[in-house]
């Protein structure tokens, strides 16, 4: 899952970004309201963590703009002001939840999970295909009913493949969804991580599930469904 963090305080933004990445999320960071709306127009985020006090365009304006455009991405609003009036203004602007600064990361993480869980019918918590089962909220994977240990990046890759099984997923799409905006598109990091994921799946399932489509990308498909 991919999260946009909008925060102009570099220290706070770095703290949130690092914590979310360690939990297995892909994270982009915007330092002001203009960049936040630009990124939200380009990328399909699962959640926006949005500070209220921002340069160029404040968080209330960003939230209201996204909602006017019909975007339903969950928004967690952060602010140092937590009076009832401030909370009401944030919720009226389109925020789904409100967290006052300073906060503990565990609380932010719990709210992130809850908002993603409520993010819409299309965001299914449990994904499965063939012998593979993935719990998006608990970050657990089972193959043939047995737990499979994956790195955070391997988990994110598998999650993306399970959302669109049997479809060819391009390398550029995986870079966009699983890595960050500034990652070198010429890097072979996608092939390396997909290769490790392929090996783990094959060992656990005792069959090859993840296939390379030469010159294009990768495809998750069971041998009995693979086209000749």
């Amino acid at each position: 899952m991919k999260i946009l963090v909008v925060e102009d305080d570099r220290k706070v933004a770095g703290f949130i970004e690092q914590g979310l990445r360690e939990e297995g999320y892909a994270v982009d960071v915007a330092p002001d309201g203009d960049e936040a709306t630009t990124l939200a127009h380009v990328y399909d985020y699962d959640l926006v963590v949005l500070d209220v006090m921002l340069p160029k365009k404040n968080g209330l304006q960003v939230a209201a703009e996204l909602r006017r455009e019909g975007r339903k991405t969950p928004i967690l609003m952060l602010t140092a002001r937590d009076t009832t009036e401030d909370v009401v203004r944030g919720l009226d602007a389109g925020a789904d939840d409100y967290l006052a600064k300073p906060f503990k990361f565990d609380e932010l993480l719990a709210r992130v999970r809850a908002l993603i869980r409520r993010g819409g019918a299309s965001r299914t918590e449990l994904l499965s295909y063939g012998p593979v089962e993935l719990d998006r909220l608990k970050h657990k994977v089972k193959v043939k009913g047995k737990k499979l240990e994956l790195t955070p990046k391997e988990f994110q890759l598998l999650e993306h493949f399970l959302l669109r099984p049997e479809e060819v997923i391009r390398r550029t799409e995986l870079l966009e969804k699983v890595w960050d905006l500034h990652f070198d598109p010429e890097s072979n990091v996608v092939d390396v991580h997909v290769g490790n994921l392929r090996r783990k799946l094959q060992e656990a399932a005792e069959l090859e599930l993840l296939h390379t489509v030469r010159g294009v990308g990768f495809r998750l498909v069971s041998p009995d469904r693979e086209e000749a």
Side-chain angles (χ1 to χ4, degrees), residues 52 60 77 79 81-93 98:
V52 171
L60 298 176
M77 194 161 279
T79 183
R81 301 164 61 182
D82 61 350
T83 65
T84 300
E85 292 78 8
D86 291 325
V87 173
V88 170
R89 288 177 63 205
L91 296 176
D92 283 347
Y98 205 93

Side-chain angles (χ1 to χ4, degrees), residues 186-206:
E186 300 301 321
S187 170
N188 69 341
V189 68
V190 173
D191 298 81
V192 171
H193 282 81
V194 170
N196 291 336
L197 175 60
R198 177 192 288 118
R199 175 181 52 78
K200 291 183 179 181
L201 289 174
Q202 186 167 353
E203 290 176 355
E206 299 180 327

